[in-house]
């Protein structure tokens, strides 16, 4: 499921930075969902906002290596118990409405393990800007944080067994809803860690203020 609406934090607008960590062992896989997390892939939209709030999405695509989907976890509890998650993200992770939290959760085989990995995206309530992307790998009945990116706007997805992280890029004076472009980075699990494989940059067309060309006179 996607996040709801309400106020959100303010961070510096910078390009994506992926901090790889494999040291945090968290709660066992018996945790069940208590917030707004589902097994969707979380499709990217142009700009940082994800407009299809609370909509269910199909399960993430798996790689050729067979794996089993774990019981749905309590993503909010997982994030708040993770020492690799910044205090700012934890502090801002509050219910938007009732007990509904602005988190997207995807399950898929990223690390070639026997159990699907978990991708958690933390969003703001107000404009659904992604403020953190995290990947958790099952290891010995517990979840280990093996990837984190916390420079918003950021959003991670599973694409044919790879992790694809998109980062909105802003020029001076850009509105939050009108980024100038986007960096898209593809990571692949190699030798027990995520390694960058591809990086692309997309410039968005600026419609505001465009003047029509004069018609040439005959």
């Amino acid at each position: 499921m996607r996040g709801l609406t309400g106020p959100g934090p303010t961070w510096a607008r910078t390009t994506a930075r992926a901090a790889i960590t494999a040291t945090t062992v968290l709660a066992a896989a018996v945790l069940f969902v208590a917030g707004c997390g589902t097994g969707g892939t979380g499709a990217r939209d142009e700009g940082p906002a994800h407009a299809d709030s609370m909509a269910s999405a199909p399960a993430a695509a798996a790689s050729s290596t067979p794996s089993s989907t774990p019981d749905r976890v309590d993503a909010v509890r997982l994030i708040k118990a993770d020492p690799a998650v910044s205090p700012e993200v934890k502090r801002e992770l509050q219910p938007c409405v009732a007990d509904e939290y602005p988190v997207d959760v995807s399950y898929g085989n990223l690390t070639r393990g026997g159990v699907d990995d978990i991708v958690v995206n933390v969003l703001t309530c107000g404009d659904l800007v992604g403020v953190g992307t995290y990947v958790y790998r099952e290891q010995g009945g517990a979840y280990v944080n093996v990837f984190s990116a916390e420079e918003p706007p950021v959003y991670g997805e599973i694409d044919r067994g790879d992790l694809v992280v998109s980062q909105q890029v802003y020029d001076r004076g850009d509105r939050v809803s009108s980024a100038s472009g986007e960096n898209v980075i593809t990571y692949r699990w190699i030798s027990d860690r995520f390694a960058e494989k591809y990086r692309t940059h997309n410039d968005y067309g600026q419609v505001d203020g465009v003047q029509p060309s004069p018609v040439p006179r005959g």
Side-chain angles (χ1 to χ4, degrees):
M1 292 184 185
R2 295 297 180 86
L4 295 174
T5 59
T10 302
W11 277 282
R13 295 162 180 167
T14 56
T15 56
R17 179 185 52 146
I20 310 302
T21 170
T23 59
T24 308
V25 178
L26 303 177
V30 296
L31 300 176
F32 292 94
V33 66
C36 180
T38 64
T41 57
R44 288 193 305 271
D45 300 332
E46 184 170 319
H50 299 272
D52 50 344
S53 300
M54 301 299 296
S56 297
S63 72
S64 58
T65 304
S67 62
S68 62
T69 300
D71 292 333
R72 292 186 176 182
V73 302
D74 184 338
V76 174
R77 187 174 175 186
L78 192 66
I79 290 294
K80 289 192 173 182
D82 184 357
V85 176
S86 70
E88 291 81 6
V89 171
K90 291 181 181 180
R91 184 168 53 249
E92 295 294 338
L93 183 54
Q94 301 295 331
C96 297
V97 176
D99 61 348
E100 302 294 343
Y101 286 79
V103 295
D104 283 354
V105 184
S106 301
Y107 300 88
N109 190 1
L110 289 169
T111 66
R112 316 302 184 256
V115 177
D116 278 349
D117 306 295
I118 302 171
V119 178
V120 181
N121 286 286
V122 179
L123 314 172
T124 63
C125 289
D127 42 23
L128 300 178
V129 171
V131 297
T133 295
Y134 311 92
V135 179
Y136 295 95
R137 185 174 193 258
E138 192 277 336
Q139 182 175 311
Y143 287 114
V144 177
N145 183 325
V146 292
F147 180 94
S148 62
E150 291 187 329
E151 293 196 23
V154 63
Y155 198 88
E157 304 175 83
I158 300 170
D159 184 5
R160 292 169 292 185
D162 289 335
L163 174 65
V164 179
V165 176
S166 60
Q167 172 88 38
Q168 304 296 317
V169 178
Y170 292 86
D171 287 338
R172 185 182 298 274
D174 286 346
R175 298 190 302 270
V176 173
S177 60
S178 302
S180 296
E182 179 185 47
N183 292 323
V184 181
I185 309 170
T186 299
Y187 296 93
R188 186 167 296 165
W189 186 256
I190 300 174
S191 300
D192 295 328
R193 67 182 184 88
F194 282 106
E196 182 178 327
K197 297 298 294 182
Y198 312 105
R199 178 185 290 259
T200 60
H201 175 79
N202 302 313
D203 283 325
Y204 298 151
Q206 300 298 320
V207 177
D208 295 343
V210 174
Q211 298 296 325
S213 299
V215 176
R217 298 192 177 194

